[in-house]
Amino acid sequence: MNAPFDQTAVTQGPLRQVQPELETLLDAAIDGVMIVDHKGRVRLMSHAAELMFDRQETDVLGHNISLLLPDFETLLHRHVISFELSINPLRRSRSLGQHHETIGLRSDGVRFEVELGVGTIRGIEPARYVVFVRDISERKLRDRALQRSEAALHTAQALANIGNYVIYYDGVTEDYASPQLIRMFDWIAADEDRRLGKLTNRMLAAVHPADRTLVMNAFSDLDSEAVTIDISYRIINTKSEISYIHHLAQVIRNVHGRAIQHVGTLHDITERKLADYELQQMQNRITHSGRVSILGEMATGIAHEVNQPLTAIATYAKACLRLMGNNDCTTEEINATLEQIAQQALRAGEVIRRMRSFVRYHEANTEPIECEHILKELVQLAQTDAHYHAVQLVIEPSTETLMVQADPVQIQQVLLNLVRNSIDAMQETVDPNRVIVLRTCVNDAGEVEFMVADRGHGIRAEIAQELFNPFYTTKLSGTGLGLSISQSIIRAHGGKLWHDANPGGGARFFFSLPRVGNALTSTSNKRY
Ligand code: ADP
């Protein structure tokens, strides 16, 4: 069976003494057709085969087919065995199994990829074979280019942690999920996953229960309207690990507007989320330490403020003792003295409560706040320090009620920092100029503008650019962080912070915040 074909050429006439129909059929065939005898000699070559191998039939006839298909013999031997074993005597000819890919050789020595279909013509002794040849070199080139671009896409997706999918609505075509998407969800065996049904269900099943409604609503919006979805949510993979996903998708419709495909991209943004969260925590801690630091600067004033009611309490207590030592004192007199003690204790308690609520650590959280109200609260907080330094705090009333969406503690921190700086700048200012004016108004851009103006030593032009740099300070015990923290707080609120010279002397600091409607009542969980 494995005896080699005869390699010598034989001079035999063409096998074309067949009917003209067959001849026409052979020459019209798009694939090349050849007939080979039991020794591997070419007995017939169609016109398409001539073109493919760039040879004339007359030059090839009687020559061994290895001239055109160098591996044909090996191929035939390999498959003839299995063919002979499964031969069906009722059929006149039988294909040798699958089509085979091998190499073709042109007359100029150029090799090209071909696909062969080989069949034995039965009932003829010795055996003859029909060989169908198709030039697949271009298809192979395309396939390889496609494979390369798919491999590049998969690598890029793996690097960027992006997966994509296509869901088909025809009920027939199988949904597509890219390898990176499968990795993202940790779907192990593709077959196992398929049993779970449509890709949409598989994805939904992995969505964190708290985010599922969001995703389901987005999917149903997508199906009903021509919109794209752009959502972020959490998924839980099969190892119970949580990942943050940014999901973009859109539905593709046919000319009649019917949805035919849903295509989407999922980006695993877990690392970015964690980094954002850590950055946020860091910012919260810096902002918090800024507050602690301001309070440290105000410590002398606070001690003074608390000392006053304590001294008063001691004085009233002594007076009370004296009264009780007098046999002729009335209950009313004692009650009045105790009432004074209680009031002074509340006053001291209030100072401490304000300080504690200002300095406590909290996660930034915005809410609608009324601007003049926040100025009034600020004055209460800063009054202690201002009194101590003989500085007057004046609020210029606003003509209308202005609202901003902000974290009240952080805005107070900015204002307190500006007020503290103004107090420091007015150390040398003489009365009656030791006044700080606080004001809110609407600027030309429609934003709410806060102002803190003083009559201090002002800001020299050469340092004006430096003030907001972290650690820039002109004070002996300054940290140089107040303005830089204030600037990042205001930026995080969507506003800006700046200063100019106060006409008539001193400095003015301003910050703007987007104005919101007065009716706004809901809180937002945006983090700063
Ligand atoms: P610190 O108060 O610890 O110095 P800041 O960042 O709050 O840090 O301020 C930086 C510098 O800006 C101050 O040292 C001071 O020189 C200047 N500065 C801030 N506010 C005023 C003001 N109202 N008048 C004059 N100089 C000011």
Side-chain angles (χ1 to χ4, degrees):
M1 188 65 77
N2 268 342
F5 284 141
D6 187 349
Q7 301 294 317
T8 54
V10 287
T11 46
Q12 290 189 38
L15 200 71
R16 286 183 180 272
Q17 66 276 50
V18 285
Q19 298 91 329
E21 289 95 321
L22 181 57
E23 183 147 0
T24 311
L25 188 78
L26 285 176
D27 286 337
I30 295 170
D31 289 343
V33 184
M34 291 186 283
I35 291 182
V36 178
D37 68 15
H38 67 292
K39 292 199 167 181
R41 291 171 300 204
V42 178
R43 302 295 308 277
L44 182 143
M45 188 182 202
S46 74
H47 183 58
E50 284 183 325
L51 289 176
M52 198 183 298
F53 290 97
D54 190 27
R55 290 191 186 268
Q56 295 293 314
E57 182 184 37
T58 45
D59 298 337
V60 173
L61 285 180
H63 285 270
N64 193 281
I65 194 168
S66 58
L67 186 71
L68 310 171
L69 299 166
D71 296 330
F72 181 81
E73 196 182 335
T74 325
L75 205 67
L76 189 67
H77 282 152
R78 194 182 318 135
H79 295 286
V80 132
I81 297 167
S82 56
F83 163 68
E84 292 297 348
L85 290 176
S86 64
I87 197 159
N88 177 352
L90 296 175
R91 294 188 60 177
R92 287 175 55 81
S93 71
R94 184 80 183 255
S95 151
L96 301 184
Q98 304 283 315
H99 283 191
H100 304 283
E101 289 179 10
T102 183
I103 295 295
L105 196 59
R106 277 222 314 258
S107 62
D108 54 7
V110 171
R111 297 162 78 86
F112 61 103
E113 286 165 288
V114 292
E115 190 176 59
L116 297 187
V118 183
T120 313
I121 305 169
R122 303 214 9 133
I124 297 177
E125 274 305 327
R128 277 192 193 148
Y129 305 99
V130 189
V131 182
F132 290 87
V133 196
R134 181 174 297 166
D135 182 347
I136 56 167
S137 47
E138 276 190 21
R139 194 187 81 199
K140 283 287 181 180
L141 275 178
R142 279 199 304 273
D143 284 358
R144 273 194 283 273
L146 193 66
Q147 274 167 10
R148 273 198 303 274
S149 78
E150 267 191 7
L153 180 69
H154 291 160
T155 312
Q157 289 201 342
L159 282 173
N161 245 335
I162 290 176
N164 69 309
Y165 66 89
V166 186
I167 291 167
Y168 296 91
Y169 291 174
D170 60 8
V172 182
T173 317
E174 200 171 294
D175 297 338
Y176 168 78
S178 76
Q180 188 56 25
L181 188 97
I182 290 171
R183 267 195 290 277
M184 242 180 232
F185 284 88
D186 198 36
W187 292 330
I188 310 153
D191 285 343
E192 210 170 285
D193 290 331
R194 259 177 223 128
R195 278 195 277 114
L196 290 168
K198 292 291 286 180
L199 192 59
T200 331
N201 297 341
R202 276 188 276 156
M203 288 197 287
L204 272 176
V207 173
H208 191 290
D211 297 340
R212 205 163 284 156
T213 314
L214 167 93
V215 182
M216 279 165 61
N217 288 347
F219 276 12
S220 65
D221 281 357
L222 195 61
D223 286 349
S224 55
E225 299 164 40
V227 290
T228 54
I229 59 170
D230 181 345
I231 47 172
S232 296
Y233 53 88
R234 290 157 292 174
I235 58 167
I236 307 174
N237 71 15
T238 51
K239 291 183 197 134
S240 302
E241 296 160 341
I242 293 182
S243 310
Y244 287 83
I245 298 293
H246 179 209
H247 189 155
L248 293 168
Q250 97 179 87
V251 154
I252 295 175
R253 292 166 194 277
N254 64 13
V255 282
H256 309 294
R258 248 195 54 217
I260 50 172
Q261 280 174 30
H262 162 167
V263 293
T265 302
L266 273 71
H267 186 188
D268 187 332
I269 52 167
T270 312
E271 283 190 15
R272 200 180 78 198
K273 275 272 180 195
L274 291 178
D276 281 357
Y277 181 70
E278 274 173 23
L279 186 70
Q280 185 55 54
Q281 293 295 310
M282 185 88 80
Q283 269 173 359
N284 282 345
R285 281 197 289 272
I286 292 174
T287 310
H288 177 240
S289 57
R291 284 201 293 277
V292 175
S293 157
I294 300 176
L295 218 59
E297 290 171 28
M298 293 163 59
T300 326
I302 297 167
H304 182 75
E305 178 83 359
V306 176
N307 214 23
Q308 279 182 347
L310 290 182
T311 312
I313 289 169
T315 312
Y316 283 120
K318 276 183 197 156
C320 196
L321 283 174
R322 262 198 318 276
L323 280 173
M324 288 196 296
N326 283 346
N327 287 338
D328 60 345
C329 82
T330 61
T331 316
E332 285 73 29
E333 282 173 319
I334 291 178
N335 279 352
T337 319
L338 288 174
E339 185 60 37
Q340 288 297 335
I341 290 175
Q343 269 180 24
Q344 293 302 321
L346 285 176
R347 187 179 143 200
E350 182 58 19
V351 174
I352 288 163
R353 188 200 60 76
R354 271 204 300 273
M355 300 302 159
R356 279 187 61 190
S357 95
F358 174 70
V359 89
R360 78 171 205 282
Y361 181 85
H362 80 295
E363 297 268 315
N365 193 12
T366 71
E367 58 188 79
I369 51 177
E370 207 257 288
C371 300
E372 206 159 292
H373 176 69
I374 203 126
L375 287 187
K376 284 180 185 154
E377 284 200 332
L378 179 272
V379 167
Q380 285 193 333
L381 195 64
Q383 201 69 274
T384 321
D385 199 34
H387 268 160
Y388 185 73
H389 291 96
V391 169
Q392 207 188 332
L393 299 175
V394 175
I395 297 177
E396 265 184 16
S398 161
T399 48
E400 54 182 321
T401 306
L402 301 175
M403 304 286 292
V404 289
Q405 178 80 16
D407 180 312
V409 177
Q410 291 195 351
I411 299 304
Q412 270 187 2
Q413 177 173 356
V414 173
L415 286 165
L416 193 57
N417 187 63
L418 298 180
V419 166
R420 279 270 339 86
N421 280 343
S422 289
I423 292 175
D424 285 346
M426 290 200 295
Q427 293 296 314
E428 308 298 324
T429 308
V430 288
D431 271 339
N433 277 348
R434 295 172 77 92
V435 177
I436 297 173
V437 178
L438 301 144
R439 187 190 73 196
T440 54
C441 65
V442 180
N443 66 16
D444 294 344
E447 301 157 324
V448 176
E449 198 171 275
F450 287 74
M451 182 196 78
V452 177
D454 63 54
R455 293 277 175 217
H457 54 64
I459 295 162
R460 293 194 315 277
E462 59 272 26
I463 67 161
Q465 297 301 314
E466 315 253 16
L467 302 190
F468 296 100
N469 291 342
F471 306 114
Y472 178 83
T473 182
T474 55
K475 301 173 195 169
L476 275 179
S477 56
T479 59
L481 285 174
L483 286 179
S484 116
I485 292 175
S486 299
Q487 191 175 49
S488 58
I489 290 176
I490 296 302
R491 277 191 185 149
H493 279 79
K496 59 180 195 293
L497 173 65
W498 71 99
H499 65 87
D500 69 7
N502 197 359
R508 296 192 302 187
F509 278 79
F510 299 89
F511 64 87
S512 60
L513 292 177
R515 187 180 180 184
V516 295
N518 295 355
L520 194 57
T521 50
S522 67
T523 57
S524 136
N525 284 324
K526 191 175 170 199
R527 288 202 159 116
Y528 295 95

